[in-house]
Amino acid sequence: MAPCWHRILAVISLSVVGCTTTAPPDDIKTAPSGMIFGYVEANNEAIEQVDIFEYGQVYMPPLRRPPRVLVFDNGVFMAENLKPGKYIIAGFRSEKNNYTMARSARQMYQRILQLKPGEILYAGAFQLLITQRGKFDYGNFEVNQLQRPGERDVLKHLYDVTSSTGWQNKIERRLKELWQ
């Protein structure tokens, strides 16, 4: 029996489409689960991946995977269902560049985010600027903290994408706190 090429092509195209879209956020899995969120933009390129790691942990997929981080087309990112503890934003990745934020233990220690049980934590808004293109590596870059979008703007986007999850309630409470 000859293979049905149109079926094989359909399966391949569906798997490629599935890789390019952002998955919906998962619901809260346990009461102490928390979330880290923020915003990032870079030199006219889309950031496709944000690496958020638990401080002091080593990840070796498939045995131990880093936390899942959703990155949306507008630059908003979120990592949900994190256990309480210390986390760092280790880097950002686009199709063309890797922006490694913590190249030493000292830099990692200076960038620790302390996540409390059940907390949603704003990591900030970042602008990545390439200062020197590399010939054999990724070159150099600088990171600037942005005033806009602020925490409220990012939360408004996350409120919409977390509909029908417990995260939406936590986001709504945080938005009310920010109004006061």
Side-chain angles (χ1 to χ4, degrees):
M1 183 172 172
C4 300
W5 291 108
H6 66 282
R7 288 186 185 154
I8 294 171
L9 288 174
V11 169
I12 291 171
S13 65
L14 284 174
S15 66
V16 169
V17 169
C19 293
T20 59
T21 59
T22 302
D26 290 334
D27 205 346
I28 298 174
K29 293 186 178 173
T30 63
S33 292
M35 176 192 350
I36 295 175
F37 64 97
Y39 171 84
V40 62
E41 64 182 42
N43 299 351
N44 297 322
E45 58 183 326
I47 297 297
E48 297 172 347
Q49 185 171 336
V50 176
D51 296 322
I52 295 178
F53 298 150
E54 190 172 358
Y55 182 72
Q57 292 297 317
V58 176
Y59 298 101
M60 296 175 52
L63 302 175
R64 183 172 172 90
R65 295 183 185 278
R68 177 177 91 141
V69 182
L70 304 175
V71 183
F72 301 95
D73 291 340
N74 63 355
V76 171
F77 63 88
M78 70 179 285
E80 84 274 40
N81 286 309
L82 301 174
K83 67 181 184 179
K86 297 177 182 177
Y87 290 86
I88 61 164
I89 297 177
F92 302 99
R93 297 187 217 177
S94 70
E95 186 177 313
K96 297 177 185 176
N97 293 299
N98 280 350
Y99 301 92
T100 304
M101 300 285 286
R103 296 181 181 180
S104 69
R106 181 177 176 210
Q107 285 178 328
M108 277 190 249
Y109 185 75
Q110 291 173 345
R111 297 185 182 274
I112 290 177
L113 301 167
Q114 181 70 41
L115 185 67
K116 297 174 185 161
E119 181 181 29
I120 60 172
L121 180 63
Y122 182 56
F126 307 96
Q127 180 184 45
L128 309 172
L129 299 169
I130 294 177
T131 57
Q132 179 182 7
R133 295 246 179 235
K135 293 181 181 173
F136 300 108
D137 63 2
Y138 292 107
N140 293 323
F141 67 95
E142 65 181 45
V143 180
N144 296 318
Q145 289 284 130
L146 297 173
Q147 295 296 321
R148 293 277 178 242
E151 182 177 3
R152 284 181 31 77
D153 301 317
V154 175
L155 283 172
K156 286 178 186 178
H157 172 77
L158 291 177
Y159 182 83
D160 292 336
V161 299
T162 59
S163 66
S164 71
T165 70
W167 297 114
Q168 194 173 50
N169 295 333
K170 288 182 180 264
I171 291 168
E172 184 176 25
R173 276 186 295 226
R174 180 65 184 144
L175 282 168
K176 286 179 183 176
E177 288 174 7
L178 291 171
W179 272 108
Q180 297 177 14

